[in-house]
């Protein structure tokens, strides 16, 4: 029976997709255009306006520079698109700025490009949705005070569409994108025919002739600032180079062709809008009731269906332009995670083959920007573009070195083109950084190095962990004695089964620790159940006191046994008929297990039993005890888990590794397993739906565990870290597996801790290895 949570998830996102379906998610050109190019195509709706708003500070006479500046922006766009067409051909497996810069310029330039893009994608979502809401308020001014709430609502819809999968997003966004292009081109053609060719006379905009009080002189700084605002038309141009692998084959050829189509459309629409803004006399100013595009549409089509169609499709494409960032941010995050510069969780694909964690993180960042800036386009635009041109410049500079290295036929011409692109975008970057610095660009200038430092920190952490896990002699751990302690607050069916399980593991010593519930008479009932097993009664005044009392006593016991032995705390849990009681008891058990694992030294075993009657209870040791050790990598933590499994003296021991990636080759892991000389067989299984917990659950069910005759212990190696801020980088899969198996009949989960001591010595060794 499907749970309510799963039913809601399926209704919103659809059925899970197998990894084998990934090839069917590749996009043809016509679908890739709206997925990866909706941002640069939609930028024409606000790029001219933002340029005019800056020029307005010098008075209406400064609008004479709109066309020259637009021509310069269009030329810049042509240079950048031409450069990126070369990039996608040179990097057919994806040639985003991060990959190109890191491969050719080094780690730090690559990380700067990656950080700039991550920040820019979050801004792209916020700016696009805010601009879409602005188009709606142009037609319905009464919605102005609700624009932040409306923006968050549209953000949620776009995020849900992307969580359903890239292809579904392409199908959803194709019609609005192509309708927008057709509508704007029609607007431009009709407007040019009337104003340029004199067909019917050139109408004047409602705002034409409006006087503007000049706030200052028309300085070079103001002109450059206007140019930098108009350069927002280039945002999203790099998206196709990041998403080459999403295209149908031949991928690089289709990506280059799509870039060319996008360039022709974007340049044509941008120049057309800028020309009509001048020809119809539009006067842009702060607080204007309608956007520049709305003014032009009202002028050319009149207040009729044509005007409202332009507003509707403009709002739609601006909101959906956020999809460009949703298509690329998760892909870039997954690449950074693959290189261990971001948490490994960003590598995982969701049920619908989308990088769900990246989509969720991008949504949160964009929502924060929309709330902080009140969905105001003019405020948000000040943060924009710095990241774009940083990545442009580093990517093109990297391509120059790439051509010099490979020296393919025609490399000189290609190198000159990319060099021209690098110089041009570098100059624009300096202009943008200087002219927008005090207006908000300083935030991005500061944020990029901070993000780079964060990624360096993540990478160094993973390198330190890898160093500790694989340093020294590669061999299994020696067998150790095993001591078991059963924890209880009352004697019931769960306590009896926990003791039966402990006896079946043939421990060197066995005892019970009890923090009794009021009126439970633990000592007497325990003597009736197991007179030969000693019980130690502790006192805890409340939940916190119970956890503290048990943790203190258990760690003292583990220290007494010493590091050469395993000490296991067995935590019995009862599957209560009351969900409220179940929640209360499980919360207490969870706190206790987390405390015991966090401080280390203790193996923690979780054993669940159905709610039993009042007793008496009997001890029934299982006839068959199978142990399954989960293997994520071949290292010391895995060897310790295997040593623990052998200490349990089970019927069989299996080592299990689940492959969640369809293209991953299991042979290297098998070779490492053999190199370590492990005598336990390693089984590799695929999980077509990328569900580790589901694959493990199905695997243990093969043993037909019933909790009495047959029992299965699933052993999970877990890292014990010195600092809580390291925890999100690890053990997420272990939590999922334990949650999935918690209520599985006859299945016991055991966490074997492995201490990681990360300090300055380890960091220096990592850095030394990196520079050697």
């Amino acid at each position: 029976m499907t749970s309510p949570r799963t039913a809601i998830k399926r209704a919103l996102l659809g059925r899970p997709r197998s990894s084998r379906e990934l090839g069917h998610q590749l996009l043809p050109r016509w679908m890739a255009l709206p997925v990866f190019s909706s941002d640069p195509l939609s930028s024409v709706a606000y790029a001219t306006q933002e340029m005019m708003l800056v020029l307005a500070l010098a008075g209406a006479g400064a609008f004479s520079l709109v066309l020259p500046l637009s021509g310069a922006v269009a030329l810049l766009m042509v240079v950048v698109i031409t450069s990126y067409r070369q990039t996608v051909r040179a990097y057919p497996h994806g040639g985003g700025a991060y990959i190109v810069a890191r491969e050719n310029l080094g780690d730090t330039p690559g990380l700067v490009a990656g950080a700039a893009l991550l920040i820019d994608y979050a801004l792209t979502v916020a700016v696009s949705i805010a601009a879409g809401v602005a188009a709606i308020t142009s037609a319905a001014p009464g919605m102005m005070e609700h624009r932040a709430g409306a923006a968050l609502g549209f953000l949620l819809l776009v995020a849900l569409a992307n969580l359903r999968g890239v292809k579904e997003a392409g199908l959803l966004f194709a019609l609005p994108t192509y309708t927008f292009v057709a509508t704007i081109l029609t607007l431009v053609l009709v407007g040019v025919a009337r104003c340029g060719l004199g067909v019917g006379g050139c109408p004047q905009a409602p705002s034409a002739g409006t006087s503007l009080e000049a706030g200052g002189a028309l300085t070079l700084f103001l002109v450059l600032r206007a140019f930098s605002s108009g350069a927002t038309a280039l945002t999203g141009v790099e998206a196709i180079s990041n998403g080459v692998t999403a295209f149908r084959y031949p991928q690089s050829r289709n990506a280059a062709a799509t870039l060319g189509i996008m360039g022709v459309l974007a340049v044509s629409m941008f120049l057309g809008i800028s020309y009509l803004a001048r020809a119809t006399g539009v006067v842009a100013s702060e607080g204007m009731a309608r956007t520049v595009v709305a003014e032009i549409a009202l002028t050319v089509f009149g207040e009729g269906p044509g005007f409202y169609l332009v507003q509707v499709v403009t709002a739609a494409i601006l909101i959906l332009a956020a999809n460009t960032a949703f298509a690329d941010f998760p892909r870039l995050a997954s690449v950074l995670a693959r290189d261990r510069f971001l948490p490994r969780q960003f590598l995982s694909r969701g049920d619908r083959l989308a990088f769900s964690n990246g989509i969720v993180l991008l949504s949160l960042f964009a929502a924060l920007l929309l709330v902080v800036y009140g969905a105001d386009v003019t405020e948000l635009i000040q943060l924009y573009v710095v990241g774009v041109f940083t990545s442009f410049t580093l990517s093109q500079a990297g391509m120059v070195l790439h051509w010099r290295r490979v020296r393919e036929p025609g490399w000189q011409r290609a190198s000159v083109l990319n060099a021209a692109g690098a110089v041009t975008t570098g100059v624009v970057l300096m202009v943008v950084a200087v002219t927008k610095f005090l207006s908000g660009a300083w935030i991005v200038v500061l944020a990029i190095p901070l993000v780079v430092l964060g990624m360096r920190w993540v990478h160094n952490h993973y390198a330190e962990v890898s160093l500790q896990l694989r340093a020294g002699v590669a061999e299994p751990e020696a067998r150790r004695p095993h001591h078991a302690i059963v924890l209880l607050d009352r004697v019931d069916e769960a306590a009896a089964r926990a003791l039966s399980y402990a006896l079946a593991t043939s421990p060197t010593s066995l005892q019970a620790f009890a923090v009794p519930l009021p009126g439970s008479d633990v000592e007497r009932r325990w003597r009736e159940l197991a007179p030969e097993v000693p019980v130690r009664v502790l006192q805890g005044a409340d939940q916190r006191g119970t956890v503290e009392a048990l943790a203190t006593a258990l760690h003292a016991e583990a220290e007494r046994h010493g590091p050469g032995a395993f000490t296991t705390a067995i935590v019995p849990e009862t599957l209560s008929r009351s969900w409220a009681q179940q929640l209360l008891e499980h919360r207490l058990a969870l706190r206790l297990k987390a405390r015991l694992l966090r401080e280390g030294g203790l193996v923690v075993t979780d054993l669940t039993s159905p709610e039993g009657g009042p007793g008496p209870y009997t001890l029934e040791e299982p006839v068959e005890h199978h142990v399954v050790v989960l293997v994520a990598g071949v290292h010391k933590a895995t060897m310790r888990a295997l040593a623990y499994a052998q200490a349990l003296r089970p019927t069989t021991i299996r080592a299990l590794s689940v492959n969640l990636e369809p293209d991953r080759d299991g042979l290297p892991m098998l070779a490492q397993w053999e190199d370590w000389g492990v005598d336990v067989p390693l089984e590799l299984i695929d999980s077509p739906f990328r569900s580790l917990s589901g694959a493990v659950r199905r695997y243990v069910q093969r043993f037909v565990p019933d909790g009495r005759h047959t029992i299965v212990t699933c052993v999970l190696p877990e890292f014990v870290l010195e600092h809580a801020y390291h925890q999100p980088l690890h053990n997420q899969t272990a939590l999922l597996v334990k949650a999935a198996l918690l209520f599985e009949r006859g299945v016991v989960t055991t966490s074997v801790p492995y201490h990681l001591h990360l300090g300055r010595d380890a960091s220096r060794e990592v850095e030394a290895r990196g520079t050697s």
Side-chain angles (χ1 to χ4, degrees):
M1 183 177 177
T2 304
S3 66
R5 176 177 173 272
T6 302
I8 294 172
K9 186 177 179 181
R10 295 290 169 265
L12 290 174
L13 304 182
R15 66 168 182 83
R17 282 209 168 100
S18 168
S19 298
R20 299 185 186 94
E21 298 181 61
L22 189 59
H24 299 293
Q25 295 296 298
L26 298 180
L27 305 174
R29 294 180 193 176
W30 70 268
M31 194 181 294
L33 186 70
V35 170
F36 291 108
S37 303
S38 52
D39 179 25
L41 291 177
S42 68
S43 298
V44 304
Y46 57 80
T48 301
Q49 173 175 310
E50 294 305 319
M51 189 163 51
M52 294 179 70
L53 287 174
V54 175
L55 293 173
L57 297 175
F63 291 149
S64 61
L65 293 177
V66 167
L67 286 179
L69 289 175
S70 297
V73 171
L75 181 60
L76 178 62
M77 187 181 296
V78 171
V79 171
V80 171
I81 289 174
T82 303
S83 298
Y84 269 110
R85 279 169 59 86
Q86 294 192 147
T87 302
V88 298
R89 290 193 178 102
Y91 287 84
H93 300 296
Y98 162 71
I99 294 174
V100 175
R102 185 176 182 228
E103 181 177 308
N104 297 287
L105 302 175
D107 280 357
T108 300
L111 291 177
V112 170
L117 282 174
L118 291 177
I119 294 169
D120 180 67
Y121 287 142
L123 287 166
T124 293
V125 174
V127 169
S128 297
I129 290 180
V133 172
I136 293 174
T137 57
S138 290
M143 287 189 61
M144 180 68 74
E145 62 186 44
H146 305 294
R147 63 183 181 184
L152 292 176
F154 287 125
L155 172 62
L156 178 62
L157 291 176
V158 176
L160 284 174
N162 279 275
L163 286 171
R164 290 184 64 89
V166 175
K167 198 165 187 178
E168 278 67 19
L171 287 171
L172 178 64
F173 301 156
L175 181 60
T177 301
Y178 286 116
T179 304
F180 170 79
V181 170
T183 303
I184 295 298
L185 288 178
T186 301
L187 173 65
V188 168
L189 289 174
V190 173
V192 169
R194 297 184 66 179
C195 295
L197 303 179
V199 180
C202 185
Q204 292 299 289
S207 61
T210 303
S211 61
L212 281 179
E213 184 177 345
L218 183 61
T219 62
L220 176 61
F221 180 84
L222 191 70
V223 173
L224 292 175
R225 185 179 162 194
F227 172 76
S228 66
S229 292
T232 55
L234 276 76
T235 58
V237 166
E238 82 292 334
I240 289 176
S241 67
N242 283 322
V244 175
T245 54
F247 283 78
R248 281 186 182 171
Y249 293 92
Q251 291 178 320
S252 58
R253 184 186 301 173
N254 283 329
T258 306
L259 260 170
I261 296 169
M262 177 199 73
V264 171
L265 293 175
V267 169
S268 301
M269 291 189 293
F270 173 64
L271 290 177
I273 292 295
S274 296
Y275 168 75
L276 290 178
R278 282 296 295 141
T280 58
V282 173
V283 175
S285 61
E286 291 290 341
M288 57 192 298
R290 284 182 288 266
T291 64
V292 168
V293 171
E295 283 267 320
I296 295 171
L298 184 62
T299 305
V300 174
F301 293 140
E303 192 169 358
F307 166 72
Y308 289 104
L309 176 62
V310 170
Q311 294 309 103
V312 169
V313 297
T314 300
I317 189 62
L318 285 168
I319 292 168
L320 299 182
N323 189 65
T324 296
F326 275 105
D328 266 15
F329 182 101
R331 289 178 183 275
L332 177 57
S334 74
V335 173
L336 287 162
R338 180 198 65 196
D339 294 338
R340 299 193 171 190
F341 288 109
L342 285 181
R344 302 288 285 175
Q345 291 90 319
F346 290 106
L347 268 176
S348 304
R349 291 183 182 267
D351 286 351
R352 301 286 289 180
L353 294 172
F355 293 107
S356 305
N357 293 327
I359 292 172
V360 172
L361 181 65
L362 175 60
S363 302
L364 293 175
F365 282 159
L368 179 64
L369 288 168
L370 287 169
V371 171
V372 170
Y373 288 93
D376 189 315
V377 179
T378 303
E379 290 290 328
L380 286 165
I381 212 78
Q382 306 306 320
L383 283 69
Y384 217 11
V385 182
V386 171
V388 178
F389 282 95
T390 299
S391 63
F392 283 170
T393 304
L394 291 171
S395 175
Q396 301 313 308
M399 285 302 299
V400 173
L401 295 184
H402 167 82
W403 295 124
R404 291 183 63 183
R405 188 179 70 253
V406 299
R407 294 181 180 270
E408 297 175 350
W411 70 271
Q412 294 97 333
R413 174 183 170 276
S415 181
V416 169
L417 281 174
N418 284 124
V423 171
T424 305
T425 55
V427 170
V428 174
L429 172 61
M430 289 188 288
V431 169
V432 170
V434 171
T435 58
K436 289 194 171 188
F437 188 81
L438 295 179
S439 301
W442 67 268
I443 298 174
V444 178
V445 172
L446 178 64
I448 290 174
L450 290 178
V451 173
V452 170
L453 288 175
M455 291 192 289
R456 281 284 192 190
W457 176 80
V458 171
H459 187 75
N460 287 339
H461 172 77
Y462 281 134
E464 290 178 39
V465 169
S466 179
L467 191 64
Q468 286 198 28
L469 290 176
R470 292 172 174 84
V473 181
E475 61 181 18
E477 285 195 6
R479 290 176 180 265
R480 304 186 193 183
H482 164 234
H483 304 273
I485 303 173
V486 178
L487 310 184
L488 60 146
D489 56 8
R490 58 186 179 273
V491 178
D492 57 6
E493 181 72 21
R497 292 201 179 189
L499 181 56
S500 298
Y501 173 80
L503 290 168
T505 64
S506 302
T508 305
S509 69
L510 174 61
Q511 58 182 315
F513 282 8
V515 180
L517 294 173
S520 58
D521 196 9
V522 166
E523 286 187 272
R524 180 184 63 80
R525 300 195 67 181
W526 184 261
R527 285 195 297 269
E528 294 174 355
L529 177 66
E532 72 285 358
V533 179
V535 60
R536 179 178 171 185
V537 178
L538 308 170
Q539 297 299 326
D542 51 20
Q543 284 193 14
R544 177 174 293 181
T546 298
V547 171
E548 290 297 326
L550 283 171
T552 302
L554 285 166
H555 286 301
E557 195 69 17
E559 288 179 6
R560 188 174 68 82
H561 293 147
F566 289 113
T567 302
T568 304
I570 302 174
V571 184
E573 292 193 63
T574 300
L575 301 181
S576 175
R577 295 187 183 91
S578 165
W579 67 268
Q581 183 69 19
Q582 181 70 51
L583 182 63
L584 181 64
E585 293 185 1
H586 182 58
R587 182 182 176 189
L588 176 60
L590 195 63
R591 284 184 57 195
L592 176 61
K593 290 181 287 187
R595 170 70 184 277
L596 297 180
L597 276 177
R598 184 174 67 247
E599 296 189 3
L602 285 162
V603 176
V604 179
T605 293
D606 199 10
L607 188 149
T608 57
S609 302
E611 196 171 36
Y617 307 107
T618 59
L619 300 178
E620 300 179 45
E621 293 185 34
V623 176
E624 293 184 8
H625 180 200
H626 305 282
V627 176
V628 178
V629 180
L630 292 189
V631 178
V634 185
H635 45 62
K636 291 182 177 180
T638 301
M639 296 304 116
R640 181 160 299 176
L642 284 167
Y644 176 80
Q646 291 170 334
L648 299 179
R649 301 178 185 177
T651 308
T652 63
I653 300 178
R654 309 283 182 88
L656 175 68
S657 180
V658 181
N659 180 21
L660 303 179
E661 301 173 30
D663 299 328
R664 177 183 163 195
D665 185 4
L667 292 178
M669 179 176 283
L670 289 172
Q672 291 177 33
W673 194 259
E674 185 176 345
D675 291 342
W676 279 68
V678 184
D679 57 3
V680 176
L682 174 63
E683 295 186 47
L684 301 177
I685 63 173
D686 291 329
S687 178
F689 291 93
R690 303 161 306 287
S691 172
L692 176 64
S693 56
V696 173
R697 186 170 60 245
R698 287 188 294 272
Y699 182 85
V700 300
Q701 286 171 349
R702 298 178 188 176
F703 299 98
V704 195
D706 56 14
R708 294 188 182 277
H709 179 275
T710 303
I711 198 163
V712 177
T713 299
C714 187
V715 178
L716 302 97
E718 290 199 42
F719 300 142
V720 177
L721 300 146
E722 293 177 320
H723 303 290
Y725 52 76
H726 286 139
Q727 200 62 41
L729 304 179
H730 300 281
N731 291 340
Q732 305 306 309
T733 53
L735 289 173
L736 293 174
V737 171
K738 287 188 285 187
L741 299 180
L742 182 62
F743 304 115
E744 198 71 26
R745 185 178 182 183
V747 178
V748 177
T749 59
T750 295
S751 297
V752 179
Y754 187 88
H755 292 264
L756 292 171
H757 301 287
L758 307 177
R760 295 180 181 177
D761 293 339
S763 297
R764 281 196 292 267
E765 189 170 352
V766 169
E767 291 174 4
R769 290 194 173 199
T771 56
S772 63

